[in-house]
Every structure is written in C-alpha cells, then in structure tokens.
C-alpha cells in the first residue's frame, strides 16, 4: 500500500536535491572559471612584466632580467619557465631551462601584439599552462632618434606549473561535494520532521475516527482540535457522513421495530385462536369461524411481507424497467376499474380532469400502475366517505403531470407530514387499523425515484392534501434499456 507521507517526503527530497545540485554545480563552475581567469591573469602579469625588461638601445636589443627579484624562474624544483625569441633565433632563456638544453618552450605563429594561452607539459614533466605573446619591443622616446631602424618583433613564452591550481580545484570540488551531501542529509531530516508535524492534525482526525461510535448521539470530531483550512472540509464532510449514518441507523431501528410490531399482532391472533380452539374443540362457534379467521390473518401477514419485499425491490439497484409507449388514460381507467371491487363508490367520488386523452408516454407499465394504485387507494381510504377525490392529468413544458387531491379525516402535523413516506410509518389515527401498514407511500417514492419520476406532496389547505407525480419527456425508445420488470 502506498504511503502519502513517504510520497511527500520523497517528492520534496527529490525536488530540493535537484535544486541544490543545480545551485552547487553552478557555484562549482563559477569558482572553477574564476580560478582559471585569475591564473591566466597572473600569467599575463608575469608576461607583461618580462616584456618591460626588453630594452632597445643603439647597440641592439637587451633583456635586463634580475633573477633575484623573480626566483621562481631559477633552478628550484618548482620553477617556472620563460623563453624569448627574436625572429627565428632564441634571444633569452630562463635559468630554469638550463637543465634542459635541448628543450624549447611552445612557440606559435600569431599576429603581432597578440597572445594565446595553452595547456602544456613543462620540460620537467609537470602539467602547466603557457602564454605565448608576439610583441614589438618598445623604443624609449629618448632613443627613437638614435634607433632609426625598425626593431624586429619578438616572441615571449611564459610557462607556469598548474598542479597547485589543480589541487586547489580538487579541494574546492571535494568541499562542495561534501557540503552538498551534508545539506541533502540535513534537508531530508528537516523534510521528515516538517511533514510528520504537518500531518499531526490528519493523524488526530484519524484517531478520532477510530474511536468514534456511530451509536452515540454526538461524535466530537472537531472538539478541541485546531482548525486548518485543508482539513476542515474533510472534517465537515465526515461529520455530515456520521450524522447521515446515525439517521440511517435510527431509521433501520425504527423499521425493525415497526416490522416486529406489524407481524406481532397477527402472530398473537393466530396463537390466541389456536389456544382457544385447542381448549374448546367442541365449541361450534369457535370451530365454525376458525379456518376463515386463520386464513384472513395469514393473508394479512402475506400482504405485509409482500409489501416489504416490494419496498426492498424498489429500493435496490436490481429492479428492471421495461419502458414502452403507454396510453395514460387507459392506465388510469384500468386502475380505477381494479379499485372498484374495493371501493364501490369510486365512480361517484372520483372527479377526473383529463387533458391527456389519446396521449402516450414512454414508461414502465408495472411501475406506473403501482404508483397510481397506491395514490388512489391512499386517497380513497384516508378521506371522508362522501368526500370527492380530484385526479388531474395535464401537460407541462417538460412532460406529463398527475395529481391526486383528497380531504383528510384529521389534519396532519408538520412532523407527520415530513415522515409520511418513511417505511411502516403511520399517523396516530391509523395505527389501530390492521389493514394499513404504512408502506404504500414509501413504495411510491422509491419506485418514482428509480423511474426518474418526480414525486411530491403537501397540504394545500388545513384539511386537504395533494400528491403530485411528474413524468419527464423520455428519451427515444432505441436509447432505453430493453429490460423486464418482475413483480
């Protein structure tokens, strides 16, 4: 598994190391160039000094050199060398060249009054650097009338050992390399410390999550923690997630309790009937209705379980939809006909305002019938017996809108209205009814969400409620999945 801390440390180390290497390399190159320039300047100074010792007299050209003032050109083991030519003839040689009578220094054909530098091997075998200058000896102004002829140009070569320079450069390079290594080590240590300290708030948040208990009403993920701009969004989202998880947990607890409550009543009735029948087997009043009572109670239990399974199917991602062109009016009439057996007065009570006659829409038939059945059944059951149910069908700019409006038996509280679509939730006035289980609107909401419908409801008056369903314009049929819904 990759480590964010290690990745940050390595990345920062690589980046800073690359920058340091570039900086140290630039410093090293600058120092080397500076030392080379200074060495060449020193060589130029020696050459210029030796040029000033060349004097032109009426008797000829002289070289007034005093070895005691420049002992480096003597016979020491680390001697420097110079050699003068006038024309092709050797004019003067340093005392240090006396040990090498057959050896001449470097001489190059270069323009007059110019000079060149070259790396050479000195006569004694050492590495060195030479400066070759081609110049015309200067005639003093006092001698110019006495020396009418032109003076033949001369060559001067000065050679100095560069071994000391090489050693200095090696020392400088070694010092820079060691310094670079130490800086990298210190920088790595500093990066580790800085990143470790910088990630302390994240580690504290992680420890808070480890010890968090979602069963608590409040989880203090931010209690006593210092605020950081980068961590606060994570902390806020985690707190939201924990809050949602707690809500889901409470919902699951409530649903579990409600399922137990719904199933406990018919189970208790079955047990009581069986115990009474066992105790009084010869009582014809009990025996006559026992079988039918057991069947009715079992059918109620089957209805509860079937609705729970349907709710679970509507809440899962495994539900399959088969969208096809449907005539809305035909679907509504089919639902009304199916509910006629349950509500014989539906024809008189239901007032339909239909603007969709002959209108088709792409939808899943099972889902649409299920939604319409639950909405109409809910409106017919939870309204006064003689009250009207208003069903409106019409177009809008984005699709088809359906609404069911009915009068309430008793007004709903705001808290009841918010939880009306929660599974197995029932308003207090309906809890004593064994035929209603609080699953219809929950199934409608989930089925509508899966189909992409917009389901909403609200009070339009203190004693009237309206349920609305909006079916958006569907995509072309060839873009829809060819799947099948199973009930």
């Amino acid at each position: 598994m990759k480590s964010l801390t290690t990745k940050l440390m390595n990345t920062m180390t690589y980046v800073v190391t690359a920058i340091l290497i570039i900086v140290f390399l630039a410093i090293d190159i600058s120092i080397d160039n500076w030392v080379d320039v200074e060495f060449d300047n020193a060589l130029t100074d020696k050459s210029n000094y030796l040029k000033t010792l060349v004097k032109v007299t009426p008797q000829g050209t002289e070289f007034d050199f005093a070895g005691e003032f420049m002992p480096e050109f003597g016979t020491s083991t680390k001697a420097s060398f110079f050699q003068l030519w006038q024309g092709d003839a050797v004019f003067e040689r340093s005392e240090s060249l006396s040990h090498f009578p057959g050896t001449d220094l470097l001489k190059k054909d270069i323009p007059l009054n110019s000079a060149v530098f070259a790396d050479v091997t000195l006569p004694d075998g050492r590495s060195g650097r030479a400066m070759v200058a081609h110049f015309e000896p200067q005639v003093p102004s006092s001698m110019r009338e006495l020396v009418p002829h032109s003076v033949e140009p001369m060559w001067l070569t000065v050679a100095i050992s560069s071994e000391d320079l090489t050693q200095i450069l090696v020392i400088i390079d070694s010092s820079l390399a060691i310094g670079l290594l130490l800086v990298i080590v210190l920088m790595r240590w500093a990066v580790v410390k800085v990143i470790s300290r910088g990630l302390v708030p994240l580690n504290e948040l992680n420890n808070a999550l480890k010890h968090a208990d979602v069963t608590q009403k409040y989880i203090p993920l931010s209690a006593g923690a210092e605020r950081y701009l980068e961590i606060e969004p994570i902390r806020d989202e985690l707190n939201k997630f924990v809050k949602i998880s707690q809500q889901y947990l409470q919902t699951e607890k409530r649903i579990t309790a409600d399922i137990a409550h719904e199933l406990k009543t018919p189970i208790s009735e079955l047990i009581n009937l069986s115990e009474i029948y066992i105790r009084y087997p010869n009582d014809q009043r009990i025996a006559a209705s026992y079988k039918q009572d057991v069947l009715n109670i079992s059918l109620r239990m089957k209805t509860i379980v079937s609705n729970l399974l349907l709710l679970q199917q509507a809440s899962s991602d495994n539900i399959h939809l088969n969208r096809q062109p449907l005539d809305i009016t035909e679907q509504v009439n089919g639902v009304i006909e199916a509910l006629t057996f349950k509500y014989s007065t539906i024809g008189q009570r239901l007032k339909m305002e239909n603007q969709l006659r002959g209108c088709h829409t792409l939808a899943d038939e099972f889902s649409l019938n299920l939604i319409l059945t639950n909405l109409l059944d809910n409106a017919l059951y939870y309204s006064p017996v003689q009250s009207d149910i208003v069903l409106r069908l019409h177009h809008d700019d984005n699709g088809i809108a359906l609404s069911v409006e009915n009068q309430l038996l008793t007004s709903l509280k705001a808290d009841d209205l918010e939880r009306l679509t929660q599974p197995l939730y029932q308003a207090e006035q309906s809890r004593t009814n064994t035929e209603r289980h609080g699953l219809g609107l929950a199934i409608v909401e989930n089925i509508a969400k899966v189909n992409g419908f917009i389901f909403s409801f609200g009070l339009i008056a203190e004693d009237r409620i309206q349920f609305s369903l909006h079916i958006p314009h569907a995509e072309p049929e060839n873009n829809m999945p060819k799947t099948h819904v199973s009930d």
Side-chain angles (χ1 to χ4, degrees):
M1 183 181 295
K2 294 182 179 180
S3 170
L4 184 60
T5 302
T6 303
K7 186 176 181 180
L8 284 173
M9 290 178 181
N10 292 338
T11 302
M12 290 188 65
T13 301
Y14 297 151
V15 172
V16 176
T17 300
I19 295 174
L20 288 175
I21 290 175
I22 293 174
V23 171
F24 274 74
L25 187 61
I27 293 173
D28 181 59
I29 293 174
S30 299
I31 292 176
D32 289 350
N33 292 336
W34 177 78
V35 171
D36 288 338
V37 170
E38 291 299 316
F39 186 83
D40 289 344
N41 290 337
L43 192 59
T44 301
D45 291 341
K46 289 182 182 293
S47 177
N48 291 335
Y49 178 74
L50 291 174
K51 290 178 185 178
T52 62
L53 299 179
V54 178
K55 297 181 180 179
V56 179
T57 64
Q59 292 77 24
T61 304
E62 296 179 355
F63 185 64
D64 189 10
F65 177 76
E68 61 270 18
F69 295 110
M70 301 186 76
E72 65 270 20
F73 294 107
T75 57
S76 65
T77 56
K78 295 184 177 181
S80 300
F81 305 89
F82 72 83
Q83 186 172 353
L84 272 167
W85 292 266
Q86 191 166 31
D88 293 331
V90 175
F91 184 82
E92 186 69 37
R93 289 161 61 92
S94 64
E95 185 181 357
S96 55
L97 284 174
S98 61
H99 299 291
F100 311 97
T103 304
D104 290 329
L105 296 180
L106 177 67
K107 180 185 179 185
K108 288 187 175 183
D109 291 331
I110 57 176
L112 186 64
N113 295 325
S114 64
V116 294
F117 295 92
D119 294 323
V120 297
T121 301
L122 300 179
D124 56 5
R126 292 177 297 158
S127 299
R129 189 165 175 80
M131 175 182 176
V132 181
H134 187 198
F135 68 98
E136 183 179 4
Q138 297 297 316
V139 180
S141 58
S142 59
M143 295 288 183
R144 288 177 182 174
E145 294 181 357
L146 301 175
V147 186
H149 59 278
S150 61
V151 181
E152 187 176 5
M154 301 184 73
W155 277 266
L156 171 63
T157 299
V158 181
I160 302 176
S161 173
S162 61
E163 290 184 350
D164 291 341
L165 174 64
T166 302
Q167 291 179 358
I168 292 174
L169 293 177
V170 169
I171 293 173
I172 292 174
D173 292 342
S174 301
S175 300
L176 287 174
I178 294 173
L180 176 62
L181 183 61
L182 291 176
V183 170
I184 291 175
V185 172
L186 291 175
M187 180 270 302
R188 173 69 179 186
W189 175 82
V191 166
V192 172
K193 291 294 183 181
V194 169
I195 291 180
S196 298
R197 291 182 180 180
L199 292 178
V200 167
L202 197 58
N203 294 331
E204 291 177 351
L205 181 61
N206 186 41
N207 291 330
L209 286 174
K210 288 181 179 178
H211 298 90
D213 183 4
V214 295
T215 60
Q216 297 178 359
K217 292 184 178 180
Y218 174 68
I219 300 178
L221 288 181
S222 58
E226 192 173 355
R227 304 289 178 149
Y228 291 92
L229 184 62
E230 295 79 10
I231 296 180
E232 276 309 298
I234 301 175
R235 194 189 307 276
D236 293 339
E237 292 302 321
L238 286 173
N239 280 323
K240 290 180 183 178
F241 175 76
V242 170
K243 185 176 180 180
I244 292 173
S245 299
Q246 290 175 333
Q247 291 175 351
Y248 278 126
L249 183 61
Q250 295 299 324
T251 301
E252 291 299 323
K253 288 182 177 180
R254 184 191 62 78
I255 291 176
T256 302
D258 287 343
I259 291 174
H261 172 78
E262 292 294 334
L263 294 178
K264 179 181 178 181
T265 301
I267 291 174
S268 299
E269 292 176 358
L270 285 175
I271 293 173
N272 292 335
L273 280 175
S274 299
E275 288 178 346
I276 294 173
Y277 186 67
I278 292 172
R279 181 171 297 182
Y280 307 104
N282 297 322
D283 191 328
Q284 294 300 320
R285 293 173 300 174
I286 298 175
S289 62
Y290 175 76
K291 295 179 181 180
Q292 188 62 42
D293 290 340
V294 170
L295 177 61
N296 292 337
I297 295 172
S298 300
L299 290 175
R300 281 167 46 202
M301 293 180 64
K302 179 184 176 183
T303 301
I304 296 173
V305 174
S306 298
N307 286 335
L308 288 172
L309 291 175
L310 182 59
L311 177 65
Q312 188 278 332
Q313 183 185 10
S315 303
S316 69
D317 297 331
N318 297 325
I319 185 170
H320 300 294
L321 304 177
N322 180 25
R323 291 187 176 91
Q324 55 184 321
L326 299 176
D327 188 315
I328 300 298
T329 303
E330 289 184 2
Q331 299 299 316
V332 171
N333 291 335
V335 171
I336 294 174
E337 183 179 352
L339 290 174
T340 303
F341 297 97
K342 187 175 182 180
Y343 302 98
S344 58
T345 59
I346 187 173
Q348 293 77 32
R349 296 183 58 190
L350 184 61
K351 310 299 181 183
M352 185 164 58
E353 301 174 5
N354 188 2
Q355 300 177 7
L356 302 179
R357 298 190 184 278
C359 178
H360 289 72
T361 185
L362 286 175
D364 177 64
E365 184 175 6
F366 172 78
S367 300
L368 187 58
N369 283 341
L370 184 64
I371 292 173
L372 291 172
T373 300
N374 276 281
L375 290 180
L376 289 176
D377 180 46
N378 185 78
L380 290 164
Y381 188 86
Y382 291 109
S383 60
V385 176
Q386 302 300 327
S387 63
D388 292 337
I389 308 297
V390 181
L391 173 62
R392 296 185 178 91
L393 309 174
H394 61 89
H395 284 287
D396 61 17
D397 294 336
N398 299 318
I400 293 174
L402 297 83
S403 65
V404 178
E405 177 187 329
N406 66 275
Q407 184 179 350
L408 295 171
L409 291 170
T410 57
S411 60
L412 290 175
K413 299 179 182 177
D415 185 59
D416 290 333
L417 194 64
E418 290 178 0
R419 296 189 293 173
L420 208 57
T421 56
Q422 291 184 3
L424 295 171
Y425 178 79
Q426 300 179 58
E428 292 298 329
Q429 64 266 25
S430 64
R431 284 196 174 274
T432 56
N433 194 307
T434 58
E435 295 182 3
R436 314 300 291 190
H437 312 293
L439 291 170
L441 292 180
I443 293 173
V444 168
E445 184 178 54
N446 288 337
I447 288 289
K449 187 181 298 182
V450 170
N451 282 268
F453 302 159
I454 300 174
F455 174 66
S456 60
F457 58 91
L459 294 175
I460 57 176
E462 185 177 354
D463 62 341
R464 295 191 69 81
I465 190 170
Q466 183 182 70
F467 295 89
S468 301
L469 181 72
H470 184 267
I471 304 176
H473 288 304
E475 298 178 358
E477 190 175 359
N478 54 2
N479 291 335
M480 297 181 180
K482 299 297 184 179
T483 51
H484 179 67
V485 64
S486 174
D487 54 39

